[in-house]
Amino acid sequence: MVAARKSAVSRLNGNRQLQNSSPATVNPGVIPLHVPRHQQGYAQTTPVMSTPQAPPLWLWRLCILQRNSSILTFFLVGAALIVYGGTVYYQELWSHAYRKLQTLQRHERQLTTTNEVIKNQMALQAERPGTGLVPQNPAAAIFLRPTPDSSRKTSGESRSATNPLNLQIQQPNHTPLGY
Amino acid sequence: MQKSQGRTKIKSFAQASVKRQPQSPTAKPPKLFSPPKLETANNTRLFLVWAALMTAACGLAINLYHLQIVRAPTLQSKARQQQMVSMRPFVPRRPVVDRNNNVLAMERPVYVLFAHPKLFKKPAATIAEQLAPILDRQVDDLLKQFQRRKSGIQIAGGLPEQIADRIAPLRIDGLELIQQYSRFYPQQDLVADVVGYVNVDRRGQAGVEFSQEKILERSVQAVRLSRSGTGSLMPDHAPEGFLHFDDLRLELTIDIRLQRAARFALAQQIQKFRGKRGAVIVMDASNGALLALVSQPSYNPNEYYKADMSLFRNWAIADLYEPGSTFKPLNVAIALEAGAITPDTTFYDGGSIQVAGWPIRNAHNSSFGRMTITEILKHSSNVAMVQMMQRLKPNVYYGWLERMGLGQTMDTDLPFEAPSKVKSQEEFISSPIEPATAAFGQGLALTPLQLVELHAALANGGKLVTPHVVRGLVNTKGQLHWQPTRNTPRQIFSPSTAQTVVKMMEAVVTDGTGKASQIPGYRIAGKTGTSQKAGPRGGYLANAKITSFVGMIPAENPRYVVLAIVDEPQGQAFGSTVAAPIVKSVMESLISVEQIPPSHPEEVGKQKQDKEN
């Protein structure tokens, strides 16, 4: 509150000073007589408008540097946060995946165990008389005679077909497919 | 409101780039709005705030120093203790599978339950009540156990994962589950003689588990992982390749379908003839791979501690026996190869022969008169065999026996193999009775497996292959990653000799002692054997014999050798009655498993039709 009031007053006085100081600059030897004494101290501290001129180059560069570095800092902080978040997140993901892997390995183990135990039990049951199951026997098997190797024949023909010399010698087979 | 107005005013000044003129040294602070009394009060307040802040900052700095430097080591170790968890990842001993990927041995975690009653936060009775149904035990029983000590009481061991999963969520303070590994054999006693077992210290003690220990075992290194606040594991300290262990498994050449069929057939005959023990071996003669190796009686490797210790060594590999007549075809091959006889040579069998004062007779005291080599094998004439081998000089004969590998081991991949035995060279050459008894397979001893190896040499055209059960390490896709190096097969007989002998052996099955092993449609070669058992104090035991039958299929191009052997069968027990039916039944399964086409397709099923008619 105090500061606000102060600055308000100083501004008021400043404006007055601007009006008053113009004759002084014109005639430096003349000191205005009618300035109240208690106002003299203020007159000296009143702010003065600087003349509009270009700031020095170094300041200009510093300003640019400051602005750019602020932007850079902003992005770097952002990136750091993202990277940090990423590490935490991926650790969490890894730990989740690891847990899943353990569960799956365990299921695989249990599945294999159960599967093999059941297989063994079934085989043991099958050995017991009265189950109606008999051991494999060639008498109960069906043997198929291998068909004459037609693929070799056709491949031979196709090979000969590519060779124009053999084409004349070999008789083409005119048996239609499917009959 | 006033304050905000003031701020905007200052802003407008700043924007106008107002420059304060330097104050003159005589300048006095304005007295109108800020009397000196107010300023002193302000300064005191400022100082107080400053002092408070500085004290707080100093306090923080001191605490920081204390935490970061003075107590750092203690705190770090404390944090590590809480965050780091030392764990042994599940890197199991490699599983063993048969050639069709049926699991024969695998690893599984089991748990040991410990109780520490001094840490119990609930009454022991409540805990016992909770545990009793899960462990399938009496409440009183558990309570008694709890009272035994204050800490470290083992309540139960070997608990499977499912039970551990029911105990862990109870979250009872003072109970501890410790993970261990245990080997599980799903086929129980079916392949115990081949696979063996692993003892409590996780060392293989028999079979492949013992002989292939280095390949099966994988070192388990404890890994320290950090843990997050929620207890989940974090990867930051995980070592390289922590999750990537290979999926290789040890594949055997054994086929459990055949193994099962062989065991069934053998067990039936042992029971029927009240035999002491028996064995069946099926070998692929082309490379020495064993498709089945059954010994009876056997044991359950899951409960090896309950079994008789003597069963842990497979007697088909570790015990010697005198092969008897099953050795005769090998002697014929030696005689043919050495040029002592031709396939057309004939011998006169008068029923008995005197060698160095010892009478040698045929079984059943029969005499056959003049007979060809084929007939000698067909009727299993001892007298003619002695005459045949007498045509060879004893030292030449002995040289042949040595060349066949008698007196040595076979370098098979199964453990505890016994080297076969023959008499010393001096004894064999000086005493005429030695070559004479060796002529019909007595006086020398070998393991059943070695007999199969020698017959395989007849079947595959004269090559001595190494019998083996290990195919190699394969991954889950079935690709072979490692294969054991084996000796290159040694040629001991010429292919023509081997073929001639197999043809003679075929006659044994078609119309000789091996008729019981005939399978319609298939050509089978074989030889029966009924040998006397050597007693512990020399000489032969009166009523103890070993019956055996060795067969080959298909005889026109022999590929598989099957040996069945039954020790001390009672009653009318001969190779032809006890062992030949086993070989027949095993061969029937072998035909189905290996899809062997019949030699005479028109005969297949004829026997069955005849029976039906």
Side-chain angles (χ1 to χ4, degrees):
Chain A
M1 284 290 271
V2 174
R5 207 182 295 156
K6 236 188 201 172
S7 62
V9 168
S10 69
R11 194 189 162 206
L12 204 79
N13 291 334
N15 288 346
R16 200 183 290 160
Q17 178 66 32
L18 281 172
Q19 287 165 6
N20 291 344
S21 65
S22 55
T25 47
V26 173
N27 194 354
V30 180
I31 298 163
L33 292 171
H34 302 288
V35 176
R37 196 182 160 82
H38 68 272
Q39 282 185 0
Q40 275 177 8
Y42 289 106
Q44 278 172 353
T45 55
T46 44
V48 177
M49 283 287 276
S50 63
T51 45
Q53 66 178 62
L57 194 66
W58 59 269
L59 187 65
W60 179 251
R61 279 187 184 157
L62 271 180
C63 276
I64 289 173
L65 187 72
Q66 190 239 5
R67 195 187 301 154
N68 288 353
S69 64
S70 318
I71 295 166
L72 188 71
T73 313
F74 175 78
F75 281 113
L76 281 178
V77 168
L81 282 174
I82 290 168
V83 168
Y84 175 73
T87 51
V88 172
Y89 178 65
Y90 281 109
Q91 271 192 339
E92 199 60 39
L93 269 191
W94 185 90
S95 114
H96 191 254
Y98 182 66
R99 228 174 304 148
K100 198 174 169 188
L101 173 73
Q102 278 184 319
T103 322
L104 286 175
Q105 278 178 340
R106 185 186 172 141
H107 286 166
E108 185 198 7
R109 228 162 33 225
Q110 284 172 349
L111 191 72
T112 320
T113 315
T114 318
N115 189 22
E116 293 298 331
V117 168
I118 288 173
K119 256 196 263 179
N120 187 44
Q121 269 177 357
M122 281 172 66
L124 287 179
Q125 276 174 1
E127 280 178 10
R128 269 185 232 149
T131 48
L133 297 167
V134 288
Q136 286 188 328
N137 194 316
I142 298 168
F143 294 97
L144 299 174
R145 274 182 195 285
T147 50
D149 200 350
S150 56
S151 64
R152 198 183 296 162
K153 219 174 176 181
T154 49
S155 70
E157 269 171 23
S158 65
R159 213 186 300 126
S160 66
T162 55
N163 190 342
L165 287 173
N166 284 358
L167 194 67
Q168 294 169 341
I169 304 159
Q170 291 208 343
Q171 289 290 319
N173 191 354
H174 288 298
T175 316
L177 285 170
Y179 289 93
Chain B
M1 280 296 272
Q2 270 187 345
K3 196 177 175 180
S4 67
Q5 272 177 359
R7 198 174 277 173
T8 48
K9 277 172 191 169
I10 290 168
K11 247 188 193 168
S12 58
F13 258 120
Q15 277 168 352
S17 71
V18 175
K19 205 171 160 189
R20 257 176 205 277
Q21 279 195 338
Q23 280 185 341
S24 68
T26 52
K28 285 176 186 171
K31 284 167 190 168
L32 186 65
F33 297 106
S34 54
K37 215 177 174 183
L38 191 70
E39 194 164 298
T40 330
N42 260 351
N43 279 348
T44 322
R45 214 189 312 169
L46 202 66
F47 177 75
L48 279 176
V49 170
W50 179 81
L53 284 175
M54 279 312 283
T55 322
C58 283
L60 282 176
I62 290 166
N63 199 25
L64 193 68
Y65 172 80
H66 194 63
L67 287 174
Q68 289 288 332
I69 291 156
V70 181
R71 290 182 61 200
T74 339
L75 289 175
Q76 270 172 1
S77 70
K78 219 172 185 176
R80 195 155 297 156
Q81 219 172 16
Q82 282 183 1
Q83 292 165 356
M84 298 294 275
V85 51
S86 175
M87 60 171 287
R88 287 158 68 91
F90 190 79
V91 183
R93 194 183 165 93
R94 293 207 164 93
V96 182
V97 295
D98 84 334
R99 63 175 187 159
N100 298 320
N101 270 333
N102 291 303
V103 180
L104 306 179
M106 62 182 286
E107 204 79 338
R108 64 172 180 182
V110 289
Y111 294 84
V112 184
L113 178 65
F114 281 98
H116 309 290
K118 69 173 178 185
L119 299 173
F120 281 172
K121 285 183 182 157
K122 281 193 250 180
T126 324
I127 293 172
E129 270 169 30
Q130 278 181 298
L131 280 182
I134 300 172
L135 297 174
D136 198 17
R137 297 257 294 270
Q138 294 293 321
V139 178
D140 299 341
D141 192 30
L142 285 173
L143 274 176
K144 255 183 221 164
Q145 271 195 311
F146 288 156
Q147 281 157 7
R148 223 189 296 154
R149 252 182 292 167
K150 279 192 169 176
S151 173
I153 308 163
Q154 186 179 333
I155 302 293
L159 296 173
E161 276 179 317
Q162 296 91 321
I163 290 185
D165 280 354
R166 288 170 65 196
I167 296 172
L170 296 177
R171 296 190 164 275
I172 300 171
D173 284 315
L175 289 185
E176 191 182 12
L177 280 166
I178 291 178
Q179 198 191 44
Q180 288 179 342
Y181 303 109
S182 144
R183 200 77 163 151
F184 179 59
Y185 303 92
Q187 315 297 339
Q188 295 180 357
D189 57 348
L190 181 64
V191 276
D193 301 299
V194 178
V195 175
Y197 73 98
V198 170
N199 71 358
V200 86
D201 299 323
R202 306 194 44 71
R203 296 258 142 226
Q205 295 295 302
V208 171
E209 295 273 26
F210 177 80
S211 65
Q212 308 298 316
E213 178 95 49
K214 277 185 194 160
I215 289 158
L216 288 170
E217 207 176 37
R218 278 186 284 198
S219 60
V220 183
Q221 283 174 339
V223 178
R224 289 178 69 81
L225 289 176
S226 53
R227 201 163 46 177
S228 73
T230 52
S232 53
L233 293 168
M234 297 204 293
D236 22 359
H237 294 282
E240 188 90 9
F242 159 63
L243 293 173
H244 302 279
F245 52 83
D246 58 73
D247 57 351
L248 298 180
R249 344 197 250 179
L250 187 73
E251 191 178 301
L252 301 186
T253 57
I254 298 286
D255 188 307
I256 57 163
R257 289 175 294 173
L258 200 62
Q259 179 90 358
R260 215 177 277 283
R263 186 180 67 155
F264 183 64
L266 178 65
Q268 263 190 336
Q269 287 296 89
I270 290 181
Q271 201 186 358
K272 190 172 165 191
F273 289 93
R274 299 186 305 284
K276 193 175 134 198
R277 55 186 184 174
V280 172
I281 301 170
V282 182
M283 188 200 266
D284 184 340
S286 61
N287 58 7
L290 294 173
L291 300 184
L293 175 56
V294 183
S295 286
Q296 284 279 330
S298 192
Y299 63 97
N300 183 355
N302 292 320
E303 295 173 334
Y304 64 90
Y305 38 83
K306 288 183 187 168
D308 180 3
M309 290 282 280
S310 63
L311 296 176
F312 295 154
R313 47 201 281 284
N314 186 352
W315 80 275
I317 298 156
D319 282 3
L320 301 175
Y321 87 113
E322 296 189 24
S325 302
T326 45
F327 201 74
K328 283 175 186 165
L330 297 162
N331 279 331
V332 171
I334 291 172
L336 279 170
E337 196 71 23
I341 54 164
T342 63
D344 309 319
T345 313
T346 54
F347 289 94
Y348 183 77
D349 178 0
S352 84
I353 188 172
Q354 290 274 336
V355 179
W358 296 82
I360 292 172
R361 288 192 193 87
N362 290 328
H364 313 299
N365 288 327
S366 49
S367 80
F368 302 101
R370 186 146 294 275
M371 57 204 311
T372 61
I373 311 290
T374 308
E375 282 168 335
I376 293 172
L377 287 181
K378 212 157 75 178
H379 302 293
S380 201
S381 159
N382 292 344
V383 175
M385 278 310 295
V386 172
Q387 290 176 39
M388 187 195 296
M389 297 323 281
Q390 275 174 343
R391 289 197 176 189
L392 257 79
K393 282 184 184 158
N395 58 345
V396 175
Y397 186 21
Y398 193 81
W400 271 100
L401 293 181
E402 276 189 328
R403 200 175 160 191
M404 295 198 317
L406 287 178
Q408 296 157 21
T409 55
M410 295 170 287
D411 289 332
T412 170
D413 47 18
L414 287 163
F416 318 128
E417 184 198 345
S420 47
K421 267 187 194 161
V422 274
K423 296 277 161 64
S424 68
Q425 193 166 8
E426 295 79 48
E427 207 179 341
F428 196 84
I429 292 167
S430 59
S431 157
I433 189 71
E434 293 301 337
T437 51
F440 52 93
Q442 300 275 172
L444 50 86
L446 40 71
T447 60
L449 190 62
Q450 194 166 13
L451 187 76
V452 174
E453 184 202 25
L454 294 174
H455 275 275
L458 292 177
N460 64 22
K463 286 195 290 286
L464 204 62
V465 289
T466 312
H468 61 268
V469 292
V470 175
R471 185 169 167 250
L473 283 177
V474 291
N475 65 8
T476 38
K477 287 174 190 153
Q479 291 156 330
L480 199 62
H481 277 243
W482 169 86
Q483 216 173 359
T485 46
R486 293 193 185 89
N487 303 335
T488 42
R490 196 151 49 90
Q491 189 85 33
I492 52 167
F493 304 124
S494 67
S496 63
T497 305
Q499 221 170 356
T500 313
V501 177
V502 171
K503 215 170 173 192
M504 290 171 180
M505 286 169 76
E506 201 185 337
V508 177
V509 176
T510 47
D511 49 0
T513 49
K515 274 183 186 167
S517 67
Q518 285 173 357
I519 299 172
Y522 288 86
R523 285 173 63 187
I524 293 162
K527 183 72 192 85
T528 53
T530 310
S531 56
Q532 287 175 293
K533 269 186 93 173
R537 273 173 263 129
Y540 290 102
L541 299 170
N543 286 320
K545 49 190 169 187
I546 293 189
T547 54
S548 53
F549 185 85
V550 60
M552 296 172 199
I553 187 169
E556 67 271 22
N557 182 21
R559 171 91 193 264
Y560 302 99
V561 178
V562 183
L563 170 75
I565 171 165
V566 176
D567 190 8
E568 293 186 27
Q570 310 297 316
Q572 281 291 314
F574 303 100
S576 51
T577 55
V578 182
I582 302 174
V583 171
K584 182 192 172 178
S585 151
V586 173
M587 277 183 176
E588 281 176 344
S589 298
L590 185 68
I591 288 165
S592 309
V593 168
E594 288 292 295
Q595 299 177 349
I596 306 170
S599 316
H600 310 291
E602 65 285 353
E603 286 178 23
V604 177
K606 206 174 166 190
Q607 207 178 32
K608 198 181 166 191
Q609 282 170 4
D610 292 346
K611 266 185 200 168
E612 279 169 4
N613 292 339

